[in-house]
Structures are given as structure tokens and as C-alpha cells.
Amino acid sequence: MIKAVSALAGLLMACASVATAADPTDTAAYDLLFKQGTLDAIEKGSVLNYSRDVTNTLVPAAAQRDTGTIEMTLAGGTPPEALLQFRQDDKHRALGSFPASVGNPVIMYFVETVVRDMAESAGGSPFYIRNRVKEALISPADITESDGDVTVVIRPFEGDPNAARMNGFGALKLTVVMSEEVPGWYRSLSAEAGEAYGSVMVFEGVVE
């Protein structure tokens, strides 16, 4: 998973370079989803906890494997790093470390796990899936605001000629809810593909 998340981090850097040159109205969703500075107000040593609940009718064992808690620890050092870790009962594994200056890496973990889950469950090339997701991230998306929350909805495979062969993932919808009032910016991150698949990450609190 560390390798996979690092690969997506590189992909998102490529997205950023494309987004910089694109029409600003097309990159509004990207700028919100990958907002920089979202960890600036977090005290060093603090841990942001997110629950992750997965359902997967195509690979039920994967749902049990991937349901747990994601911890984002803001480590000290120069420059400071954001460390991701997955916990499930008494087991835990490192997911990677990222420069804290670029923002909360939870968004990268969320996107990459959806890409991985789709490739594992529906088949198909993970490179094709990532590229379609990349295109969707730097394209116009549904953005709404309510009571201080900003919600971005992306449908990476809408209109895809291969959608009917994706075992339900052609209808994949990514929904991210963000707020300045939530430490780390992300209130919830969810992916839904009909009855076949669901992944919901919810901010649970900060341990200082």
C-alpha cells in the first residue's frame, strides 16, 4: 500500500501541473479536494482519526480486510511530516509519510484505495482506472455549499464506453465533504458503486 499511495502522490503532482495550466473554472474541484495548508493549524504530535467502513459484494473478504481506523499523525521535524497508519483491532500497518506542507494525505489514501478496490473487484487495468480518475479530478464537478460545508461529487466513469463491463463500478460516485471547522479539512470521504461497493471514511476526532 505504501508503494501504491506513493504512486498516486506522483500522479496527483502530475494532475497539479495540468491543473495549473487549465481553465480555473475546470480546476475548482481539484483545488478544494487537494487544498494546501490544511494541517497548518494542527499541533505537532496530534493524531487525526478517521473510521473507514467498506462494503463489497464482489469480494466480501476485502471489505472485512479494509474496514478499520485510519490515523494521520503530524510528526515533528523539519519539514514536518504527516504519517498515515491503518489500525484494525490490535493490528496496525504503516501506509506512508508525506510532507505536511502539501496538506492532509488522507485524500490521497482515499482515492488510491478506491482505485485499488475497483481494480481488485471489477477487474481491468489499474492504470486505466487511475487515468480516468485523474481526468475527473481536473474536470468540472458538482460543487455545493451548505452550513459551512463544501461538497464535491465526481463520477469518473460517466459516459465511459467501457462502463457496462465494470461490474457496477461504471456508476462509481466519489463524494467528499469538507469544512474549515473540521481539523484537517475533510469531514467525510465516500465512494459508492450501486450495491456492489461502498467505502466511507468519516472524521472521528483529534487526539493530542
Side-chain angles (χ1 to χ4, degrees):
M1 176 56 70
I2 293 176
K3 182 178 179 181
V5 174
S6 297
L8 186 71
L11 176 63
L12 294 177
M13 289 178 65
C15 288
S17 64
V18 175
T20 300
D23 184 334
T25 60
D26 292 347
T27 63
Y30 179 92
D31 293 340
L32 286 167
L33 292 171
F34 299 98
K35 183 177 179 179
Q36 296 188 0
T38 54
L39 299 179
D40 290 354
I42 307 297
E43 293 289 333
K44 303 299 185 295
S46 296
V47 179
L48 276 60
N49 287 319
Y50 302 83
S51 60
R52 185 180 186 222
D53 184 34
V54 181
T55 58
N56 191 328
T57 62
L58 300 175
V59 187
Q64 182 176 3
R65 176 196 67 198
D66 298 329
T67 295
T69 300
I70 309 302
E71 294 183 347
M72 196 294 298
T73 302
L74 189 59
T78 305
E81 291 187 316
L83 311 177
L84 286 185
Q85 183 171 242
F86 175 79
R87 286 190 175 275
Q88 187 183 67
D89 299 324
D90 59 345
K91 298 178 292 185
H92 61 90
R93 66 175 182 270
L95 300 174
S97 62
F98 305 84
S101 59
V102 302
N104 190 342
V106 161
I107 183 67
M108 290 190 288
Y109 173 79
F110 167 71
V111 175
E112 174 56 29
T113 52
V114 172
V115 169
R116 181 205 64 185
D117 292 351
M118 178 175 172
E120 178 184 30
S121 304
S125 166
F127 301 103
Y128 180 82
I129 296 169
R130 281 194 186 93
N131 283 336
R132 288 310 306 266
V133 171
K134 178 190 71 174
E135 292 170 3
L137 290 172
I138 56 176
S139 300
D142 295 333
I143 302 174
T144 58
E145 297 186 34
S146 178
D147 298 327
D149 286 353
V150 180
T151 301
V152 173
V153 178
I154 294 175
R155 297 173 174 83
F157 303 100
E158 189 172 53
D160 191 303
N162 300 304
R165 300 196 295 270
M166 294 179 179
N167 292 321
F169 277 85
L172 181 67
K173 179 175 71 171
L174 308 181
T175 304
V176 181
V177 182
M178 299 151 282
S179 174
E180 295 283 4
E181 301 302 316
V182 177
W185 183 235
Y186 305 106
R187 186 181 299 281
S188 66
L189 311 94
S190 62
E192 178 186 1
E195 297 181 357
Y197 173 79
S199 173
V200 180
M201 291 180 61
V202 177
F203 175 73
E204 300 292 351
V206 181
V207 178
E208 297 181 346

